[in-house]
Amino acid sequence: MVFFAFIFDNKTNDILYPRIAITILVGLVFTHILRELLVGLNLRPPIIKQKWLLLTVVVLSIIVLFNLANSAVVEWSKKYDPKIKVSVEKRFLYNLILDSPLILVWFSAYYIWHYVELGSKTEIQKARLESLVKELELKTIKSHINPHFIFNALNSIRALVDENPERARTAITALSNILRSSMQAEKLETVPFERELNIVKDYLALEHIRFEDRLRIEYDIDEDTLDQPVPPMMLQTLVENAIKHGIGKQKGGGLVRVISDYRDNNHELIVQNTGQMSAESATSDGFGISSTRNRLKLLFGGKATFAITNTQNDMVEAKVKMPVQEFHV
C-alpha cells in the first residue's frame, strides 16, 4: 500500500499510515477468527469433499465482515480525505475489491503450510511404518531360523547319546556355544562376519562328530572381510542346507567349503558342497533359501543378491553378494 501510494501519488499524506494500521489490526482480528473457525469446524487439511462448500462460505463471510469492519472503523475514526469523502457503502465496495486479496493470500499461505506439514508428517509416518514392518519381518524370520537350527542339532545329538555318550557330551558343549552366540546375535540386525564364522565353525564341528570322515571342511577366508556386517545366522543356515541337502544325501559324504572375499566392491560369501541340485530343487525355495532372500532384501534392498547353482565340478554353490560397508559396534 505504501509502495502504490508513492508510485501513484508520489507522496504520502496524514491518513495513509493510520489507514494501513487500521487494515492491519482489523485483518489480524478477522484472520484470527478465521483460523478459529477453520480449527473448530475441522476445515484444516485434509478435509472431505462435503466440507468444501462450508469452507467457501466461511472464507467469503470473513472477507465480507473484514471489509465491513474496515470501512466502519475508517468512517468512525474519520481517517479519510474530506475532499473526496464517499459513502460507507462505496468505501466498502472499494475495500472489497482492493483488500480482499489480503485475506485470500493469508488463507492460501495458511492452507499451503498445513498441506506441506501434512505431507511431511505422512512421509515420516510412512517411513516409521516401513521401518517397523521391516523390524517385525526380520524378527519373524529370526524366530523361524533358531528353532529350525535347534531341531536339527538336537536330532544329531540324539543319534549320539546311546552310540557314544562322550561324543554326545562334546556335541552338547558345541551346541551350547552356538546357542550362546545365537542369543547374542538376536540383539542385532547384522553382526561382524567373524562372529558368524565362529558359529559356523562350532556347527560344523558338531556335524563332523556325526558324519566323521564323511564330512570334509575347507575355509578360504580373506581376513579383511572379518569385520564386514552380515545378517546373523545367515551363513549358518546356508551351511546347514549344504549338510542336509548335499552331504547328507551322499553315501560317501563330501566337502563343504566356505569362502569369503571382496569382488567388484562387494563382500562375496560362498558356501559350496558336494552334490548336484535336481531340476525340482533348483526351481523351489526351501525355508533356508527363502529366508536368506528375504533378509537380504529387507536389510540391503536391491543392493544385495543371492543365487544357488550347480557348478561344473559336481558342486552346489550358494553365493551371496552384499555391498561393502563400515561396521560399527
Side-chain angles (χ1 to χ4, degrees):
M1 292 170 72
V2 172
F3 172 75
F4 282 110
F6 272 102
I7 292 297
F8 293 106
D9 294 340
N10 199 27
K11 62 179 182 179
T12 59
N13 50 52
D14 295 337
I15 65 171
L16 175 62
Y17 293 113
R19 288 282 291 271
I20 293 176
I22 291 171
T23 301
I24 291 173
L25 292 174
V26 174
L28 285 173
V29 170
F30 279 92
T31 51
H32 182 73
I33 294 173
L34 176 56
R35 177 187 174 277
E36 292 298 319
L37 289 172
L38 294 177
V39 173
L41 298 174
N42 293 322
L43 295 176
R44 287 192 299 184
I47 62 173
I48 58 177
K49 293 181 179 179
Q50 291 81 353
K51 288 194 173 184
W52 279 106
L53 179 59
L54 177 60
L55 176 64
T56 303
V57 171
V58 168
V59 173
L60 292 179
S61 299
I62 289 296
I63 288 175
V64 171
L65 293 173
F66 161 69
N67 287 292
L68 280 174
N70 194 8
S71 302
V73 172
V74 169
E75 183 69 24
W76 172 76
S77 61
K78 300 186 184 300
K79 296 300 180 182
Y80 51 81
D81 189 347
K83 297 178 182 178
I84 54 174
K85 182 181 182 304
V86 296
S87 63
V88 175
E89 292 80 4
K90 281 189 175 182
R91 184 177 295 113
F92 166 70
L93 291 175
Y94 292 151
N95 289 340
L96 195 63
I97 295 171
L98 298 176
D99 294 343
S100 293
L102 296 175
I103 301 294
L104 293 175
V105 168
W106 178 92
F107 171 75
S108 300
Y110 180 82
Y111 244 61
I112 290 172
W113 169 267
H114 278 285
Y115 266 115
V116 171
E117 187 179 42
L118 178 66
S120 300
K121 288 181 178 179
T122 302
E123 289 299 320
I124 293 173
Q125 290 173 349
K126 182 180 178 182
R128 287 178 178 173
L129 180 60
E130 289 177 351
S131 177
L132 178 61
V133 169
K134 286 186 177 182
E135 182 180 353
L136 291 175
E137 287 181 354
L138 283 171
K139 288 182 178 179
T140 301
I141 291 171
K142 287 180 181 178
S143 70
H144 283 293
I145 288 175
N146 290 337
H148 187 258
F149 160 67
I150 294 170
F151 175 77
N152 288 342
L154 288 176
N155 274 343
S156 300
I157 294 172
R158 183 180 63 181
L160 293 173
V161 169
D162 295 329
E163 178 184 336
N164 193 325
E166 183 63 30
R167 286 190 174 182
R169 284 192 291 269
T170 303
I172 291 172
T173 300
L175 178 59
S176 176
N177 292 335
I178 295 170
L179 292 178
R180 185 182 303 110
S181 299
S182 174
M183 286 186 291
Q184 293 173 351
E186 285 293 325
K187 300 175 183 178
L188 300 170
E189 305 302 352
T190 58
V191 296
F193 172 63
E194 184 176 16
R195 187 185 301 181
E196 177 77 355
L197 184 62
N198 289 335
I199 295 176
V200 168
K201 286 181 177 179
D202 283 333
Y203 170 77
L204 287 175
L206 188 150
E207 290 291 65
H208 193 269
I209 294 174
R210 180 162 67 98
F211 285 96
E212 296 182 333
D213 294 337
R214 292 178 58 217
L215 175 61
R216 302 191 312 276
I217 305 167
E218 292 182 3
Y219 297 99
D220 184 3
I221 307 298
D222 184 340
E223 293 186 358
D224 291 337
T225 65
L226 293 177
D227 290 334
Q228 280 297 300
V230 297
M233 303 301 292
M234 183 187 72
L235 178 61
Q236 186 275 332
T237 302
L238 296 179
V239 172
E240 183 180 349
N241 277 350
I243 296 290
K244 180 179 179 182
H245 301 292
I247 307 305
K249 294 183 178 181
Q250 305 292 323
K251 290 183 178 180
L255 169 68
V256 171
R257 181 183 294 119
V258 179
I259 303 170
S260 177
D261 201 356
Y262 290 125
R263 288 189 178 89
D264 300 325
N265 202 33
N266 286 309
H267 178 202
E268 196 166 87
L269 200 54
I270 300 172
V271 176
Q272 297 175 337
N273 65 270
T274 303
Q276 289 284 283
M277 285 192 306
S278 63
E280 181 181 352
S281 299
T283 56
S284 62
D285 288 353
F287 173 78
I289 294 176
S290 62
S291 68
T292 299
R293 293 189 195 279
N294 290 337
R295 299 175 78 192
L296 291 172
K297 182 178 179 180
L298 289 171
L299 289 170
F300 302 107
K303 297 180 180 179
T305 60
F306 171 71
I308 181 167
T309 56
N310 291 321
T311 63
Q312 294 180 352
N313 54 349
D314 293 328
M315 299 280 284
V316 176
E317 180 178 273
K319 181 186 294 186
V320 176
K321 286 186 178 181
M322 295 167 287
V324 176
Q325 297 183 23
E326 293 183 6
F327 181 75
H328 301 283
V329 180

